[in-house]
Amino acid sequence: MKHRASRLILLLVLGACSGDRAPLIATDVAVSKPKPGMRVAAGYITLSNNTTETITITRVTSPEFKSVEMHESILEDGISRMYPLDEVTIPAGQNVAFEPGGKHLMLMNPTSDADSATLEFYADNVLLLSVNATFAD
Amino acid sequence: MGPRNTFIAIVAVGAIGTGAWLSSMVMQPAPRLQTATVLPAPSELPEFSLVDQNRLSIGRDYFEGHWNLVFFGFTHCPDICPLTLQVLANAKRQLAADGQQPLPRIVLVSVDPERDTPEVMSQYVRYFGDDNIGITGTLDEIRKLTGGLGIFFEKSGLDEVDYSVDHSAVVIVINPRGQFHALFGAPHEAGNFVHDLPIIMGGR
């Protein structure tokens, strides 16, 4: 894990030195507004790995929520099941979509009445991406 | 061509035209269901005693007098449940815009009565439409209803507070006689309901 993190840090440093690109690119960012009386919301995003190394997202945080988990909804034989994901791997140059009915972020216990949330993606303890999303229905 | 022959020709053309029109009416295939399955014979609901979002005690006759789209889920579900309720709300809105009468009621039956009190259900279901209904109650009584409809649900995850519930994702259609009439399998799309519900509710 340390090896993986150090390679990523190296990439980030190299990227910064060369004025190069961000390691992760976010598109299709959406956070559902917590429903009335509810303490949960769903976050959706497409992450593109903009490096030549595999990136493994191990943690997601948001200042507007007490906790954030990566989950996956799966339909098996007509049964909707939800599994927590410890990590999500994005191969070099490829995308991973967090989208309705599939992988998604479960944002729990809002800490404010904000109308938007910042999503922070980490590989181990390295912050790779911070992106803001206005709540949508 | 004499007047008599002209008359015969007109009658013949008229007869052929009428025949073609009649056969097109008779031969017109009945509208086909896109995704829904209608039960060969509607089945009676089991007896149960639950409460709606207004704390009104309800039994199986609660469904009578309306077409009902019934989904089994829970309010702490961040993804599939709100998505499904939104699909049903969108379908109902489209059916209303198409002039469909009657319109179905959208009903959420909780599979998580520990957290889904009538108050929680009320706030939640109304978010997706003022007329929506939320049903909850004791676990035993919910199991009576789900058991009779072949609906599966099971608590998952070890966290006592932030647990999840696995559940059947099917949408059940209950007819105005209060009988289990048809079902829509997941994944759900509004277009499937918009296409199939008028056929089901029209009895075609």
Side-chain angles (χ1 to χ4, degrees):
Chain A
M1 190 172 280
K2 270 186 183 163
H3 176 65
R4 191 172 67 194
S6 58
R7 287 194 69 147
L8 263 173
I9 291 167
L10 183 65
L11 272 171
L12 289 170
V13 171
L14 286 174
C17 291
S18 61
D20 211 338
R21 309 165 301 182
L24 272 182
I25 308 287
T27 49
D28 300 326
V29 189
V31 174
S32 68
K33 193 160 96 182
K35 307 293 179 273
M38 290 295 102
R39 311 285 298 161
V40 295
Y44 303 110
I45 189 169
T46 297
L47 297 173
S48 305
N49 181 345
N50 202 25
T51 75
T52 53
E53 294 287 330
T54 293
I55 291 179
T56 301
I57 304 295
T58 53
R59 190 161 60 98
V60 185
T61 59
S62 171
E64 290 81 14
F65 288 86
K66 221 167 178 178
S67 62
V68 182
E69 291 180 4
M70 294 184 284
H71 283 185
E72 183 157 24
S73 297
I74 292 177
L75 195 62
E76 285 176 337
D77 300 325
I79 312 287
S80 170
R81 301 181 190 275
M82 198 167 73
Y83 296 104
L85 301 170
D86 290 335
E87 55 182 41
V88 169
T89 299
I90 315 169
Q94 297 198 23
N95 302 337
V96 165
F98 289 75
E99 57 193 352
K103 289 186 180 66
H104 58 273
L105 302 172
M106 182 158 169
L107 303 107
M108 292 175 281
N109 300 313
T111 54
S112 71
D113 292 329
D115 58 2
S116 68
T118 300
L119 304 174
E120 298 160 334
F121 293 82
Y122 291 82
D124 298 316
N125 288 320
V126 182
L127 175 63
L128 295 187
L129 173 70
S130 178
V131 60
N132 191 263
T134 305
F135 289 150
D137 281 340
Chain B
M1 191 182 283
R4 187 163 175 269
N5 285 349
T6 304
F7 174 74
I8 289 170
I10 290 169
V11 169
V13 169
I16 290 166
T18 306
W21 177 77
L22 275 175
S23 76
S24 78
M25 292 303 287
V26 173
M27 302 296 282
Q28 186 120 24
R32 299 183 71 165
L33 295 172
Q34 206 157 274
T35 49
T37 303
V38 174
L39 271 59
S43 75
E44 300 298 330
L45 298 188
E47 295 281 0
F48 63 86
S49 177
L50 294 167
V51 289
D52 73 0
Q53 73 281 357
N54 300 318
R55 287 197 170 275
L56 179 72
S57 294
I58 62 166
R60 64 182 185 176
D61 59 352
Y62 185 73
F63 294 107
E64 292 174 8
H66 304 269
W67 284 94
N68 304 271
L69 294 176
V70 185
F71 182 65
F72 297 81
F74 61 112
T75 64
H76 281 67
C77 161
D79 187 46
I80 292 294
C81 302
L83 280 175
T84 303
L85 289 171
Q86 196 59 57
V87 163
L88 297 181
N90 291 346
K92 187 173 174 177
R93 195 172 304 120
Q94 185 58 51
L95 287 167
D98 293 348
Q100 168 66 36
Q101 282 296 333
L103 289 169
R105 296 195 300 193
I106 297 171
V107 182
L108 173 68
V109 177
S110 174
V111 291
D112 181 19
E114 272 180 61
R115 293 183 293 197
D116 290 342
T117 62
E119 291 74 23
V120 169
M121 291 294 277
S122 174
Q123 277 190 307
Y124 189 76
V125 296
R126 285 190 178 136
Y127 177 81
F128 299 95
D130 289 340
D131 304 330
N132 292 349
I133 288 162
I135 293 176
T136 187
T138 66
L139 197 57
D140 284 348
E141 291 295 326
I142 289 171
R143 284 202 188 283
K144 285 184 189 172
L145 176 58
T146 56
L149 295 171
I151 299 293
F152 165 89
F153 70 96
E154 182 180 66
K155 216 170 171 179
S156 76
L158 300 173
D159 194 316
E160 276 303 306
V161 179
D162 288 323
Y163 59 87
S164 182
V165 184
D166 297 338
H167 57 92
S168 297
V170 71
V171 170
I172 299 274
V173 180
I174 297 180
N175 68 28
R177 293 186 300 283
Q179 299 164 318
F180 176 14
H181 188 96
L183 59 90
F184 286 83
H188 301 297
E189 285 178 29
N192 295 335
F193 292 92
V194 172
H195 182 273
D196 286 357
L197 279 173
I199 300 172
I200 295 170
M201 296 191 294
R204 285 177 283 161

